[in-house]
Amino acid sequence: MSYVTRDEDIRYVILLSHATNEKMSLELIRAHVNHLRELDREGKLVLCGPFTDYAGGMVIIRASSREEAVSIAERDPYVLSGKENYELRTWELSHESNGHMGIVE
């Protein structure tokens, strides 16, 4: 059985975590939200939000490449300010229309 990953089945997960214990300013929070709104207008934002049990949050995006996803993560005002670090994960979607990544015929 061979399976080829389709570009449309790739998303990128940006995991944000606090780099400092400093409180975020309202101005910085608004800049972050504006960044997310711009991604949404561009059709790149899938889901986003803070964690309730961890200091940080997650942003799931569509991007044409890992390099573009890195660029998006590094443009986030939280990351630019040094208040948050990020980890980037490439996420391959498993669903019925791709046979759960070729497992189901």
Side-chain angles (χ1 to χ4, degrees):
M1 167 180 21
S2 68
Y3 171 74
V4 176
T5 301
R6 302 178 312 181
D7 289 342
E8 63 264 23
D9 289 332
I10 297 296
R11 300 293 181 276
Y12 295 91
V13 179
I14 302 167
L15 298 169
L16 296 167
S17 60
H18 292 318
T20 70
N21 288 329
E22 298 174 30
K23 186 172 174 143
M24 302 278 189
S25 70
L26 186 54
E27 180 181 334
L28 182 58
I29 294 168
R30 284 186 174 141
H32 169 72
V33 169
N34 286 335
H35 170 70
L36 297 173
R37 292 178 75 204
E38 181 62 27
L39 292 175
D40 194 30
R41 281 191 291 274
E42 294 171 357
K44 295 182 183 297
L45 183 65
V46 177
L47 292 170
C48 63
F51 295 119
T52 60
D53 62 349
Y54 182 80
M58 182 168 61
V59 179
I60 301 175
I61 60 170
R62 291 178 186 86
S64 60
S65 66
R66 184 170 177 83
E67 291 76 21
E68 181 187 12
V70 166
S71 175
I72 289 169
E74 291 181 352
R75 282 195 322 258
D76 188 316
Y78 281 173
V79 174
L80 284 172
S81 71
K83 302 280 187 189
E84 293 209 343
N85 296 316
Y86 78 92
E87 294 179 44
L88 182 67
R89 299 284 183 261
T90 303
W91 186 30
E92 185 173 2
L93 304 180
S94 175
H95 49 83
E96 198 64 33
S97 65
N98 72 2
H100 290 280
M101 298 168 47
I103 302 303
V104 177
E105 295 180 15

